Structure formats: structure tokens, C-alpha cells
């Protein structure tokens, strides 16, 4: 203790010796977050809040712009720059190490892919139905529900998702949805 110099240096050395697998970083407001060694700004962002992680675009470490992939060091002040409308990048999975960050990124990407599949499937089905002078809005809801029940699907979004990911052919689905005698 007498050879350590000042007391702050001593405390820092003790902290590093006692907790070698963790880094301690600060938010801009002074809150301390504990992260595993090797954690990046993406891990930090998700530790603060899932929405912060989902909308982060850049980071400032000790008031300097830094890459999101840079491993954090004990004592750094980390500020996350967010922007509305942004979303997680699949490449973040290459350097995010905390389970919260990794699972949040995967969850967001899965939901996004599902949303895009439903949208694509709906457009393909509408296009196919329009070639027959029909559309989803023109079909009786009872008939749509009966077809969904036959196919074992809970709702129209599930059917559109199946079409969007290629599990069902829109022409065949449209033929089942159209009233008898009005086939493709």
C-alpha cells in the first residue's frame, strides 16, 4: 500500500486484481455499468436499455468518436449516439459479447425478417388475385377464415408470411381463396 503511490492508484490496482474479468465504465451522467472484459459500445448500449441498443448509430468514448466494435476499458465514459428509425446491424453479432446484446439483436432481426416476409407475401398474393379481378378486400372474410382453418393457420399474416418465405405458392393460395368457378 505504501509503495502504490497515491490512494486512487491503489484502489485502481485492487479493483483490477479483484475483478479481472470485468470492466467498469461510466454513462455520461456518472452511472457505473459493469460489463465483461471485451465488451463493446454495442454491449454497453444494450446494458443501458434495449431501445438504446436498437437505435444506436455511433459512440463517443471519453468525448471522442470511436467505432462501435472497440472493446471498452475500465474507467472510460461511454456515450451512445442514437437516431430514430435506425435498426441493429447483423454484423454487430460478430463483436457483441453479452448475452443481452446478442439475444436482443437476434430478436430484432427475426422480427424484422418476419415483418418483411408478411409484407412480401401479402403483395404477391394481392398481385395474383388482381390478375383475376379480385383482391383480399373483395373476398368474404368467412371464406378467408375457412381456408385458413383448412391450412391450419391462425391468421392471414401467417399465410402471407408462408408465401413471403417461399413455403407456399401465391397462385395455389389464390386459387383456394377465390370462389368456385373463378380459378386461375
Amino acid at each position: 500500500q505504501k509503495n502504490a503511490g497515491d490512494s486512487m492508484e491503489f484502489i485502481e490496482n485492487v479493483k483490477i486484481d479483484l475483478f479481472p474479468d470485468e470492466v467498469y465504465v461510466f454513462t455520461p451522467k456518472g452511472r457505473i455499468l459493469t460489463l465483461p472484459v471485451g465488451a463493446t459500445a454495442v454491449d454497453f448500449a444494450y446494458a443501458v436499455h434495449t431501445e438504446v441498443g436498437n437505435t444506436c448509430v455511433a459512440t463517443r468514448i471519453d468525448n471522442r468518436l470511436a467505432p462501435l466494435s472497440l472493446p471498452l476499458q475500465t474507467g472510460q465514459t461511454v456515450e451512445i449516439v442514437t437516431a430514430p428509425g435506425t435498426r441493429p446491424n447483423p454484423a454487430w453479432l460478430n463483436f457483441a459479447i453479452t448475452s443481452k446484446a446478442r439475444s436482443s439483436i437476434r430478436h430484432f432481426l427475426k422480427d424484422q425478417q418476419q415483418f418483411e416476409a408478411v409484407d412480401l407475401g401479402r403483395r404477391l398474393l394481392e398481385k395474383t388475385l388482381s390478375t383475376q379481378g379480385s383482391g383480399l378486400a373483395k373476398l368474404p372474410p368467412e371464406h378467408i377464415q375457412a381456408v385458413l382453418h383448412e391450412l391450419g393457420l391462425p391468421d392471414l399474416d401467417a399465410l402471407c408470411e408462408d408465401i413471403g418465405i417461399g413455403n407456399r405458392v401465391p397462385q395455389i393460395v389464390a386459387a383456394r381463396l377465390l370462389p368456385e368457378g373463378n380459378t386461375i
Side-chain angles (χ1 to χ4, degrees):
Q1 183 175 357
K2 291 178 183 174
N3 295 336
D6 65 31
S7 60
M8 291 307 289
E9 185 179 334
F10 172 74
I11 290 173
E12 186 66 30
N13 288 335
V14 168
K15 193 167 45 171
I16 290 170
D17 290 345
L18 289 177
F19 307 106
D21 298 336
E22 297 175 335
V23 293
Y24 300 90
V25 291
F26 297 94
T27 67
K29 292 183 179 180
R31 187 172 137 215
I32 299 172
L33 289 180
T34 305
L35 296 167
V37 169
T40 64
V42 170
D43 296 301
F44 175 87
Y46 280 102
V48 170
H49 193 279
T50 303
E51 266 313 298
V52 173
N54 284 345
T55 58
C56 75
V57 291
T59 186
R60 283 191 183 91
I61 298 175
D62 294 331
N63 290 321
R64 292 191 184 127
L65 280 175
L68 290 171
S69 60
L70 185 69
L72 301 174
Q73 305 287 322
T74 293
Q76 292 177 321
T77 300
V78 182
E79 178 185 354
I80 300 296
V81 180
T82 61
T86 59
R87 56 187 188 183
N89 184 334
W92 293 354
L93 291 170
N94 294 330
F95 53 80
I97 65 166
T98 61
S99 60
K100 179 176 182 181
R102 295 180 65 76
S103 66
S104 295
I105 294 166
R106 280 195 205 102
H107 180 72
F108 184 90
L109 294 173
K110 181 181 176 226
D111 285 351
Q112 189 64 33
Q113 289 169 343
Q114 180 182 11
F115 172 78
E116 290 169 358
V118 169
D119 184 52
L120 174 62
R122 188 175 300 274
R123 285 185 285 134
L124 290 170
L125 185 57
E126 284 286 2
K127 183 177 179 181
T128 304
L129 288 169
S130 71
T131 62
Q132 293 297 308
S134 190
L136 285 172
K138 294 180 182 179
L139 297 174
E142 309 82 40
H143 185 65
I144 294 173
Q145 285 303 318
V147 171
L148 290 172
H149 183 72
E150 287 173 28
L151 297 174
L153 296 170
D155 56 25
L156 189 57
D157 281 351
L159 177 62
C160 291
E161 182 182 357
D162 269 4
I163 293 170
I165 60 176
N167 288 345
R168 296 186 190 273
V169 180
Q171 290 81 2
I172 294 172
V173 172
R176 287 185 90 169
L177 287 172
L178 289 170
E180 294 300 320
N182 190 10
T183 58
I184 296 177

